Amino acid sequence: MARKPSTRHSSNKMWGGRFSDRPDAVMEAINASIGFDQKLYAQDIAGSKAHATMLAEQGILSKGDAKAILKGLDTILSEIEAGKFQFSTALEDIHMNVEARLSELIGPAAGRLHTARSRNDQVAVDFRLWVKAQAEAMHGELGRLIDALLDHAEIHAATVMPGFTHLQTAQPVTFGHHCMAYVEMFARDRSRLTDAINRMDECPLGAAALAGTGFAIDRKATAKALGFREPTRNSLDSVSDRDFALEFLAFASICATHLSRMAEELVIWSTPQFNFVRMSDRFSTGSSIMPQKKNPDAAELIRAKTGRINGDLVALLTVMKGLPLTYSKDMQEDKEAVFDSAENLELAIAAMTGMVASMNINTDAMKLAAGSGFSIATDLADWLVRETGLPFREAHHVTGKAVALAEKKGCGLENLSLSELQKLNGRITAAVFDVLSVEKSVASRKSYGGTAPANVKRQAAYWRKQRAKESNRR
């Protein structure tokens, strides 16, 4: 059966009798949010269904009207998901678009749905539901990235590579240890999400416009129906709070920064000059002019997306910074930044997980580089302190002379002769050569959190256990 032409052409009817003139075209354009907040359709319909059910249970709405409303809302949900729903800019937002269509479907009963609520608490619950779902999804996606890093950490617990400061060779570490550093970063990101989810797990529905309502509503019932732990406790804060969105954006910025740091390393490591990793063709691109090129574009795009995600956080902080209680129309600008960050961060995490899981590690190149730049110099200094009793500063000075000598000769510290070393300090014995290798260097770093392969295996096992606990809880 063909649908009748829509009567949803003017928002004045929805506003009531206060306005006699249609809004100016510019006003309509700047005021409308349906172009982006239609993304909240599922949350908006879920909130309306919970509200209608509660009103009926409280005797505020008749059972017949509630039944008609619920059926109409299900129809609207189906229409939207099938791409058959006609969104109207004149109706401003997702709430009024749904309500107008509901009115078409069931008549005057639709007007009773808005009893004891406002668009202020309606959008607050819709947006909070959406952000909460995104946070939970990101939590799972970061878990999969951690799993991919743990796979490498376990395989390469003893694979030596150079550790860097100032992007200069500093001391030998293992590739497994390097991977575990990112496990720690992304685990902190997940922890931030857990905390944020806990704080946003309160339902603002029922706060109405700002002061609550005189109707005998049951806010605990609607909170439970929508999967929240409890209702919010202050009606003013309920409709004006966007901390949950800011926390999500803050998480997104920090997580994107971690992804960007790792992306930068993958870009560097995949160059012929380093040749530490070979990226999968699935996450690389070629050149239109240079047939030999294999560009790590996925990593570069992750690095770039961090800028827009950081910008989204700053944008919403700026929107919120000067707003008096409670709701102001400025807050319509809260959603696009969050939608943008969520979409781009989700892409970045997925791309990084794919790159990490599919990259090949050039262990020979890593080992060769691990011994460059006199990376075992600190091991010589530590040996002098430990075995000869020299103060560290004096041992540092002796080692510096040894480095200068090796540099002049064009060899490594381990290639200096015992007599040459003894000219620098007579207490040096042949036992010093027992520590002058990258493998022995990393094996000696047994302090808690150090790069020793046994430590790396223990830390990987710890995180595997944590991941298993999560799976069991689910």
Side-chain angles (χ1 to χ4, degrees), residues 259-278:
L259 290 166
S260 183
R261 295 181 71 181
M262 189 169 191
E264 170 71 359
E265 294 200 315
L266 293 179
V267 169
I268 293 170
W269 292 351
S270 63
T271 61
Q273 290 77 16
F274 271 76
N275 196 27
F276 286 1
V277 301
R278 183 170 179 80

Side-chain angles (χ1 to χ4, degrees), residues 1-222:
M1 180 177 175
R3 277 184 54 182
K4 295 178 182 179
S6 176
T7 58
R8 290 176 281 146
H9 61 276
S10 171
S11 55
N12 292 342
K13 181 179 178 182
M14 306 301 293
W15 288 345
R18 172 65 179 84
F19 290 81
S20 58
D21 233 349
R22 283 180 59 84
D24 187 89
V26 173
M27 179 59 195
E28 188 172 286
I30 197 173
N31 195 46
S33 60
I34 191 61
F36 53 86
D37 71 13
Q38 61 185 264
K39 190 185 288 283
L40 301 175
Y41 74 89
Q43 290 77 19
D44 193 70
I45 290 171
S48 289
K49 290 175 72 173
H51 186 65
T53 300
M54 179 275 296
L55 290 178
E57 289 174 352
Q58 294 297 106
I60 300 169
L61 188 67
S62 73
K63 298 292 185 183
D65 282 348
K67 184 176 180 180
I69 288 169
L70 294 175
K71 184 178 179 181
L73 289 170
D74 284 336
T75 298
I76 294 168
L77 180 61
S78 298
E79 289 177 350
I80 295 174
E81 291 181 340
K84 297 177 180 178
F85 190 89
Q86 298 176 15
F87 290 104
S88 168
T89 303
L91 291 171
E92 298 183 27
D93 56 34
I94 186 61
H95 323 301
M96 294 174 80
N97 269 266
V98 169
E99 185 176 331
R101 177 60 180 145
L102 186 64
S103 190
E104 290 178 356
L105 289 170
I106 69 172
R112 297 188 175 94
L113 173 60
H114 211 53
T115 304
R117 78 172 182 184
S118 161
R119 281 192 296 173
N120 293 358
D121 62 339
Q122 196 176 354
V123 70
V125 74
D126 290 0
F127 195 24
R128 194 176 286 232
L129 279 169
W130 192 91
V131 173
K132 185 168 171 254
Q134 287 295 307
E136 289 167 345
M138 295 278 183
H139 195 272
E141 289 162 10
L142 282 171
R144 287 183 281 278
L145 175 53
I146 285 172
D147 288 340
L149 288 163
L150 287 173
D151 289 342
H152 283 296
E154 290 166 341
I155 294 168
H156 296 288
T159 299
V160 291
M161 68 172 288
F164 300 96
T165 61
H166 310 278
L167 202 56
Q168 304 293 314
T169 300
Q171 292 178 302
V173 296
T174 71
F175 182 62
H177 193 55
H178 202 106
C179 289
M180 290 304 299
Y182 284 103
V183 168
E184 294 290 335
M185 291 185 208
F186 295 126
R188 288 196 298 272
D189 291 329
R190 296 181 89 224
S191 176
R192 273 182 274 276
L193 276 178
T194 299
D195 292 344
I197 291 168
N198 182 61
R199 274 186 290 276
M200 72 176 74
D201 202 16
E202 299 175 349
C203 182
L205 189 61
L210 75 160
T213 177
F215 290 94
I217 62 172
D218 185 350
R219 292 193 62 208
K220 289 183 178 179
T222 48

